[in-house]
Amino acid sequence: MDKILEAVVMSSYPNNVKQGLVRRVIEAAKQPMDSEQCWSMLELSTKLYLTGDTKYKREIGKEVLEVYGHYHPEEFEEFFNVRFLLSLLQEGYGPLGKRSHYVLDYIQLGLQFVLESPSANSIFSLLRIEVLRKVCERPSPKQCAKISKLLTQHPQCIPTGKHQLLFCQQLIRCIGQFQCVSEGEDEIMEFLEQVNKVSGLLQRIWRTQTSAILPSLKELFTIISSTEEQEAPSNALASVVQFVPLELMDGVIRNLTNDDSITDVQMMMAIGRMIDWVSWPLGKNIDKWIIALLKGLAAVKKFSILIEVTLSKIEKVFSKLLYPIVREGALSVLQYMLLSFQHSHEAFHLLLPHIPRLVASLKKEDSNSATSSLEQLAELIHCMFFRFSGFPDLYEPVLEAVKALPIPNEDRIKHLLGQNAWTSQKNELASFYPRLASKSETGKIGLINLGNTCYMNSIIQSLFMASDFRHSVLNLTEGNSQPLMTKLQWLFAFLEHSQRPAISPESFLSASWPPWFTPGAQQDCSEYLKYLLDRLHEEEKTGKRIYQKLKESSLMSQAVEHHYLNKTLIEKMFGGKMMTKIRCLKCLNVSSREEAFTDLSLAFPPSDRNVHGSTSVLPVEEIGPQFIEPPESAGQLMGSPWIQRKAPMASDHAPPPVSVETLGFQEPGGAANPIGGDGVGVDAAKDPLSTFREQACAPKDSRSVPDLINYFLSPERLTAENKYHCEKCASLQDAEKVAELTEGPHYLILTLLRFSFDPRTMKRKKILDNVSIPVVLKLPILVAPEETEEVCRRGKDGAVPGSGFTTVVYDLCSVVVHSGISSESGHYYCYSRECTDTVPHGQPRDGGPKPASDKQLDFEIQWYLFNDTRVSFSSFESVSNVTSFFPKDTAYVLFYRQRPGRQSRLLHEALAEAGRLHGEPSLHKDLMEAISKDNILFLQEQEKEARNRAAYISALPKSPLWWRDLDRDKDDDSSSGGCSPAAGGGGSGSFHGLVF
């Protein structure tokens, strides 16, 4: 019968003909027959099943085997013996080089017919040993899946005792070597199915033998933490973790993170490879294990590992948001990585170029998964905006991409940031500030934030960019008896000449620290600036007093005497004078007092007051007792926010008004210079600033800097509880007070009083009004009558006949921006540029300002953005638009530099002369040596760090070459994220890229 069957199978008859003949043979096999015939048929069917070159032949072999196993059990048991099985498992079946791949399928098929036979136990014992041996030989995923299928169907064959533990460990090692060599989607799905069968076997074993779980996980960790492997272990290991009970998580993570035998390199390798598992589809709880290990490392303060792994892996995790099949887990990991990485903006900034494209892809997908992910992503982005403010140029494209998505409130943001921080002790991360490999491309140097010291950093950079002040500080002689100024000189010198990308201002901070400031807390930068300038001024004054005593002893030369008799440097650079006049409204007596100032604090008009825009008219009083009448047009006179105003008497007469004005910000069609004559204003048609009107001019109902100055200088009525004690009347009387500028400072500092006390909440609140900032400002300065006549007689610019005022022109130098809603929190950064005189040396200096039409309005001068350690190129457009894009980022302190004019002629000439004589400031020997030594030290540090980092980073798992998800999305506009995420996978190549 076996000959007949073989002849039929091997014949060339059509399969339907063969099938009829085979059917007859099989029916005949159900009848009793001798054992020799049975043996022959079993041998033939075994041959057909194991070596048949077509599926048809293997099916016939299988069918015959099942018939003989069912109808001839004794003969089948005799044939299917231990020795035969051992031969199959160890030697294989078929000719050399063409051994059958179906041995395990054959054994699984035959086992069902010998389960009750006396030889069953012997067969089970054999298989327990042989499957362990097979697994130790690292079979292919397909063969491993067959072993798993066999053992799942016949658990009696699973190794027991110590062998079971070894079997689990070796099975995990097998999974670690699984690789899918094909890129076809069908083959990939088959591979995933094979992996699930193998990991499913482990789950079955762990359910019945929980003691095998921890040793198995230890083996898993050994694999993923190994630094000796030539190839990275397969991401298929993710399928193992998903079956570990979550109740074991805390204990497992605690043991791992507290195991001193695990090196940092091994731990970094392990967590890096685990993060790669986010690309494994259909894995459950993988994100939970990754996050748990990251939290565990934070708990034991392994911050260096967390930083390295986050920076090397976060872009890869982000790219997985393109794929719906792994999106949920990837988003969870991304959220924790970003929200916990709070000491530096590095991680978030790595994602900035990719965010707009991902958002566009998710919007295009238009699925529930994409919509939910977009909302979570937007929340995450706003948390990062809140934590790392001060990068408006970088954030604008991202803000534009997510502008239509919900914005979380501040309480929610603070909750998320507080919940996920690595540590509540900020000083524990002090040594992990952003690593900057080289100096900024701008050539400028940043300042390290020493723990909420951005308020100081922004002020220092603004002062440094005030070039006249910087040169004066750097030119100070050695041994000047000014310890704080000397420290500032050293800080400026390092900012000028250091090779470091950023330096630490720690020494200057400790020397200039206001005693009432709380260490580590955010402070008011304006308060710090006032304190700093006052300290520097008083320090130099003390030196002058010492000089006076030395002079009396005749111990000083005439040259030194001349040096000490001048104004202090702070007075020269930032000092101005203001006349305050108070007129009694009963007797009309006027009292006046002149006082010095280093900054003007500008309050905001009440919200119910109208403001005109950027060109406001300031009514000022001519020298004399008579006060002006309030104008009828809106925006001319502005009231104080804390004093109730009352209109002056109708009999009062007003002199011609003089305006605080801006250049290039006039309303279209208006005069460029409302003062008239040949003033500093320019023809609007030729004004280079006119191109900036749209972005820089505020709407008519918003504030401008001139509005606030006008409000500051406008008359103030003193009534009720604020009545003035008139000496002439010898009683309290209603009065009117007005302030007039009598001397304009070289550098005009304006502080916008954005913080006010709210009695309802008992806290300081912030005024978030957008204030348009003119790049050029014209300010009225009160001059003596004889000076006014002389200026008018000589036809000089800026004088208003009969008014007693002359105009002084200022150029914007720096803008310190506060980001946040409270003075006790938020972040400071600053925009700055270097404003210098552009008057040629040969031009006569007769006291008059150069016409603006001839003088460049300095739009070509480069703006820089200083944000702690980061310095970047910027523009006036960014300065003007920052609050429009980021409502909590508002201008707070402004620095203006006075253009050369009559009032500032001597100072400008002295500065220009010093510049011609000395060129760049020449530093004294000790300072130059200190900078040179530090530059050499920095180079040595760079070399050492490069060597250490190369050894440290070489341990990190490399991102596979296939990861080009975001780049692919950029290049292919027609694709939906590069892999058709809406369809769950798209083309086979993309799917292969996702998993492997």
Side-chain angles (χ1 to χ4, degrees):
M1 189 178 292
D2 57 301
K3 299 296 182 182
I4 297 172
L5 180 60
E6 185 174 14
V8 170
V9 172
M10 300 299 177
S11 70
S12 58
Y13 294 128
N15 283 348
N16 59 341
V17 175
K18 290 182 184 179
Q19 190 63 39
L21 297 173
V22 169
R23 193 54 46 204
R24 293 184 184 181
V25 173
I26 288 176
E27 289 300 323
K30 295 178 181 179
Q31 305 302 317
M33 62 179 64
D34 58 62
S35 59
E36 184 179 350
Q37 183 64 44
C38 285
W39 197 277
S40 298
M41 287 295 289
L42 287 169
E43 284 184 335
L44 175 61
S45 57
T46 297
K47 179 182 175 182
L48 289 172
Y49 187 85
L50 291 175
T51 62
D53 55 1
T54 64
K55 186 178 180 181
Y56 175 71
K57 291 177 182 177
R58 292 195 299 275
E59 287 292 336
I60 291 175
K62 178 186 177 184
E63 199 170 351
V64 172
L65 281 170
E66 288 175 337
V67 168
Y68 277 83
H70 185 72
Y71 290 98
H72 306 282
E74 293 178 4
E75 287 79 4
F76 188 90
E77 183 183 344
E78 184 181 354
F79 178 82
F80 200 77
N81 58 63
V82 171
R83 181 172 297 184
F84 174 58
L85 294 181
L86 183 62
S87 172
L88 284 177
L89 290 167
Q90 293 189 354
E91 299 173 13
Y93 189 94
L96 285 175
K98 291 187 178 181
R99 296 298 193 192
S100 173
H101 300 295
Y102 300 100
V103 169
L104 291 170
D105 305 87
Y106 176 81
I107 293 173
Q108 182 181 342
L109 176 64
L111 272 179
Q112 60 183 311
F113 301 111
V114 297
L115 294 176
E116 304 299 329
S117 69
S119 62
N121 287 334
S122 299
I123 293 174
F124 295 154
S125 297
L126 170 69
L127 289 175
R128 290 189 197 109
I129 296 171
E130 285 301 307
V131 294
L132 177 57
R133 183 186 62 79
K134 281 278 189 186
V135 168
C136 290
E137 292 175 354
R138 305 289 180 264
S140 66
K142 190 171 185 178
Q143 291 300 308
C144 221
K146 289 182 178 181
I147 293 174
S148 300
K149 185 178 179 182
L150 169 64
L151 299 185
T152 301
Q153 189 168 341
H154 301 290
Q156 308 95 317
C157 303
I158 296 174
T160 57
K162 292 182 179 179
H163 286 168
Q164 184 178 83
L165 179 56
L166 181 59
F167 177 77
C168 290
Q169 292 173 328
Q170 293 302 315
L171 200 58
I172 289 172
R173 286 207 168 267
C174 280
I175 298 174
Q177 294 190 357
F178 284 177
Q179 297 296 335
C180 182
V181 294
S182 173
E183 294 191 3
E185 191 165 334
D186 291 339
E187 289 82 357
I188 291 172
M189 294 306 296
E190 183 182 1
F191 174 76
L192 291 175
E193 188 178 347
Q194 291 163 358
V195 173
N196 284 337
K197 283 181 181 177
V198 179
S199 56
L201 174 62
L202 278 171
Q203 180 190 27
R204 183 186 181 96
I205 296 173
W206 289 347
R207 279 179 180 170
T208 58
Q209 198 68 35
T210 53
S211 60
I213 298 177
L214 294 181
S216 299
L217 290 180
K218 188 174 181 180
E219 188 70 19
L220 173 64
F221 186 81
T222 301
I223 295 169
I224 63 175
S225 63
S226 173
T227 59
E228 300 173 359
E229 299 288 338
Q230 292 295 322
E231 291 187 8
S234 171
N235 283 349
L237 287 170
S239 65
V240 175
V241 176
Q242 66 180 329
F243 294 124
V244 180
L246 291 179
E247 54 267 25
L248 298 178
M249 182 183 286
D250 290 343
V252 169
I253 298 299
R254 191 163 47 249
N255 289 340
L256 279 178
T257 53
N258 288 283
D259 189 340
D260 293 335
S261 66
I262 300 173
T263 67
D264 284 0
V265 172
Q266 289 174 319
M267 183 62 77
M268 188 164 63
M269 182 69 79
I271 186 61
R273 286 171 172 165
M274 284 182 68
I275 290 172
D276 288 343
W277 293 350
V278 297
S279 63
W280 186 257
L282 306 176
K284 297 177 182 177
N285 301 327
I286 296 171
D287 56 322
K288 293 183 176 65
W289 281 95
I290 295 170
I291 293 170
L293 184 52
L294 291 172
K295 287 182 176 180
L297 291 171
V300 295
K301 307 190 188 313
K302 296 284 188 179
F303 301 129
S304 58
I305 297 176
L306 291 166
I307 290 170
E308 294 292 352
V309 168
T310 301
L311 293 179
S312 64
K313 294 294 181 182
I314 195 163
E315 287 179 282
K316 182 175 182 179
V317 174
F318 183 80
S319 74
K320 299 308 162 193
L321 299 184
L322 287 167
Y323 306 95
I325 198 170
V326 297
R327 182 177 292 153
E328 184 179 354
L331 185 57
S332 296
V333 174
L334 179 72
Q335 284 174 322
Y336 179 76
M337 291 174 86
L338 274 182
L339 290 172
S340 63
F341 202 93
Q342 294 187 26
H343 71 288
S344 159
H345 56 257
E346 287 177 283
F348 177 51
H349 285 192
L350 286 174
L351 305 181
L352 293 179
H354 310 308
I355 290 174
R357 282 182 278 134
L358 176 71
V359 170
S361 179
L362 292 177
K363 286 180 178 178
K364 186 176 180 181
E365 181 182 319
D366 194 25
S367 65
N368 291 336
S369 167
T371 302
S372 172
S373 297
L374 272 174
E375 291 177 357
Q376 293 178 69
L377 184 62
E379 182 177 73
L380 193 55
I381 290 168
H382 283 290
C383 285
M384 295 297 99
F385 284 166
F386 181 87
R387 181 65 188 87
F388 304 116
S389 54
F391 302 92
D393 296 350
L394 289 177
Y395 291 169
E396 281 182 18
V398 177
L399 190 67
E400 183 68 22
V402 300
K403 65 181 180 182
L405 297 169
I407 301 175
N409 59 44
E410 189 167 335
D411 289 340
R412 170 67 176 166
I413 291 174
K414 289 179 176 178
H415 170 73
L416 289 172
L417 291 171
Q419 188 180 48
N420 292 281
W422 286 337
T423 173
S424 59
Q425 305 300 318
K426 294 181 180 178
N427 59 338
E428 291 181 340
L429 286 163
S431 60
F432 297 104
Y433 288 108
R435 293 180 307 277
L436 300 169
S438 59
K439 220 171 180 179
S440 163
E441 61 180 354
T442 63
K444 305 296 182 184
I445 296 174
L447 290 170
I448 294 173
N449 191 314
L450 302 173
N452 278 329
T453 58
C454 54
Y455 67 90
M456 179 189 73
N457 290 350
S458 58
I459 291 299
I460 294 300
Q461 295 285 19
S462 296
L463 292 174
F464 178 80
M465 293 296 285
S467 52
D468 299 331
F469 178 64
R470 178 178 76 245
H471 290 156
S472 298
V473 171
L474 292 175
N475 275 323
L476 286 175
T477 57
E478 197 173 3
N480 52 47
S481 302
Q482 300 178 56
L484 184 58
M485 185 66 84
T486 300
K487 285 188 179 292
L488 182 62
Q489 182 187 42
W490 278 62
L491 182 56
F492 277 6
F494 272 82
L495 285 173
E496 184 96 7
H497 299 288
S498 177
Q499 293 301 313
R500 295 181 183 273
I503 59 175
S504 170
E506 186 172 6
S507 175
F508 188 77
L509 174 66
S510 59
S512 64
W513 181 274
W516 61 90
F517 276 15
T518 305
Q522 184 61 278
Q523 305 294 342
D524 189 327
C525 78
S526 173
E527 188 178 2
Y528 174 77
L529 174 61
K530 288 182 175 72
Y531 176 79
L532 174 61
L533 296 182
D534 186 58
R535 276 276 308 277
L536 293 171
H537 170 68
E538 291 298 326
E539 189 178 78
E540 191 172 346
K541 278 176 62 179
T542 301
K544 292 180 184 296
R545 285 195 293 270
I546 294 172
Y547 154 74
Q548 287 297 128
K549 292 182 180 179
L550 293 174
K551 182 187 174 187
E552 290 168 7
S553 305
S554 300
L555 296 177
M556 300 192 78
S557 67
Q558 243 186 345
V560 178
E561 177 181 345
H562 177 73
H563 169 77
Y564 275 96
L565 286 177
N566 287 332
K567 288 181 176 182
T568 68
L569 179 60
I570 299 304
E571 287 177 313
K572 291 177 188 174
M573 292 293 162
F574 305 103
K577 290 183 180 178
M578 180 167 54
M579 180 77 73
T580 303
K581 298 178 181 179
I582 301 179
R583 183 183 69 164
C584 173
L585 294 180
K586 182 177 181 182
C587 68
L588 301 182
N589 181 58
V590 176
S591 63
S592 61
R593 183 181 78 254
E594 189 175 54
E595 53 190 352
F597 67 88
T598 53
D599 81 309
L600 297 180
S601 298
L602 306 179
F604 282 70
S607 56
D608 57 349
R609 274 191 105 89
N610 292 324
V611 290
H612 177 270
S614 51
T615 307
S616 302
V617 178
L618 168 65
V620 292
E621 184 213 15
E622 190 178 359
I623 299 296
Q626 204 172 35
F627 272 64
I628 39 77
E629 189 166 311
E632 296 178 359
S633 60
Q636 285 189 331
L637 249 185
M638 301 188 183
S640 167
W642 60 89
I643 299 294
Q644 184 177 2
R645 303 292 173 115
K646 178 178 153 186
M649 292 177 290
S651 61
D652 295 338
H653 299 286
V658 179
S659 64
V660 171
E661 41 174 320
T662 64
L663 289 185
F665 289 85
Q666 289 75 24
E667 293 296 327
N673 183 6
I675 292 177
D678 298 323
V680 183
V682 294
D683 181 26
K686 299 178 183 178
D687 184 1
L689 296 177
S690 60
T691 55
F692 285 84
R693 283 175 185 160
E694 291 185 6
Q695 58 261 42
C697 283
K700 288 189 177 182
D701 59 347
S702 71
R703 313 292 188 191
S704 69
V705 169
D707 290 336
L708 302 188
I709 297 176
N710 286 340
Y711 184 61
F712 175 81
L713 297 175
S714 61
E716 184 177 313
R717 185 66 66 89
L718 306 177
T719 60
E721 295 178 357
N722 295 304
K723 283 188 177 184
Y724 165 67
H725 186 275
C726 177
E727 292 182 0
K728 190 173 181 179
C729 298
S731 60
L732 292 173
Q733 297 293 336
D734 287 350
E736 197 164 43
K737 182 172 77 171
V738 71
E740 295 166 339
L741 302 178
T742 57
E743 183 179 323
H746 184 62
Y747 283 101
L748 173 66
I749 301 175
L750 304 176
T751 301
L752 311 187
L753 296 178
R754 291 189 173 276
F755 302 110
S756 60
F757 183 75
D758 188 345
R760 291 183 296 107
T761 60
M762 301 300 289
K763 293 181 180 178
R764 291 177 78 193
K765 67 177 183 178
K766 180 177 177 182
I767 300 170
L768 294 172
D769 294 7
N770 192 1
V771 176
S772 63
I773 304 170
V775 73
V776 181
L777 183 70
K778 294 174 73 174
L779 208 61
I781 303 295
L782 182 67
V783 295
E786 60 273 14
E787 291 181 353
T788 307
E789 290 173 9
E790 180 188 351
V791 170
C792 291
R793 179 174 52 80
R794 296 171 60 188
K796 295 303 171 190
D797 296 333
V800 181
S803 70
F805 286 87
T806 185
T807 56
V808 176
V809 181
Y810 283 90
D811 295 300
L812 182 65
C813 294
S814 293
V815 178
V816 178
V817 176
H818 177 263
S819 176
I821 59 170
S822 165
S823 61
E824 290 82 22
S825 63
H827 179 63
Y828 289 100
Y829 57 95
C830 75
Y831 293 93
S832 287
R833 63 173 182 161
E834 290 200 53
C835 289
T836 55
D837 296 337
T838 57
V839 181
H841 297 319
Q843 180 173 320
R845 290 176 174 82
D846 53 4
K850 187 178 179 187
S853 55
D854 297 327
K855 176 177 169 27
Q856 290 296 321
L857 291 177
D858 295 339
F859 261 88
E860 301 83 5
I861 297 178
Q862 179 64 57
W863 282 89
Y864 302 94
L865 175 57
F866 294 89
N867 187 2
D868 290 335
T869 55
R870 183 179 183 272
V871 187
S872 58
F873 291 116
S874 191
S875 64
F876 182 66
E877 183 178 3
S878 179
V879 178
S880 304
N881 291 339
V882 63
T883 307
S884 302
F885 280 99
F886 302 92
K888 294 178 184 177
D889 291 27
T890 53
Y892 184 39
V893 179
L894 314 177
F895 287 72
Y896 281 88
R897 181 183 183 274
Q898 186 180 145
R899 284 190 190 174
R902 195 203 61 80
Q903 273 213 337
S904 61
R905 179 183 61 196
L906 295 177
L907 178 59
H908 279 279
E909 287 182 356
L911 291 170
E913 186 66 24
R916 282 198 300 276
L917 290 177
H918 305 293
E920 284 300 310
S922 177
L923 306 179
H924 58 77
K925 183 180 177 182
D926 288 349
L927 184 48
M928 284 304 300
E929 286 181 357
I931 294 171
S932 298
K933 286 180 180 178
D934 186 68
N935 286 339
I936 293 171
L937 178 62
F938 172 64
L939 292 175
Q940 292 171 343
E941 289 172 359
Q942 289 289 90
E943 291 172 3
K944 183 179 178 182
E945 183 181 348
R947 288 194 298 270
N948 294 341
R949 190 168 168 77
Y952 199 60
I953 292 299
S954 62
L956 273 175
K958 303 295 188 296
S959 291
L961 294 176
W962 47 259
W963 182 62
R964 296 190 179 91
D965 304 317
L966 291 166
D967 291 334
R968 202 162 48 230
D969 181 47
K970 175 177 66 178
D971 295 334
D972 182 10
D973 293 334
S974 63
S975 67
S976 179
C979 63
S980 302
S988 59
S990 297
F991 193 86
H992 184 267
L994 162 67
V995 185
F996 316 109

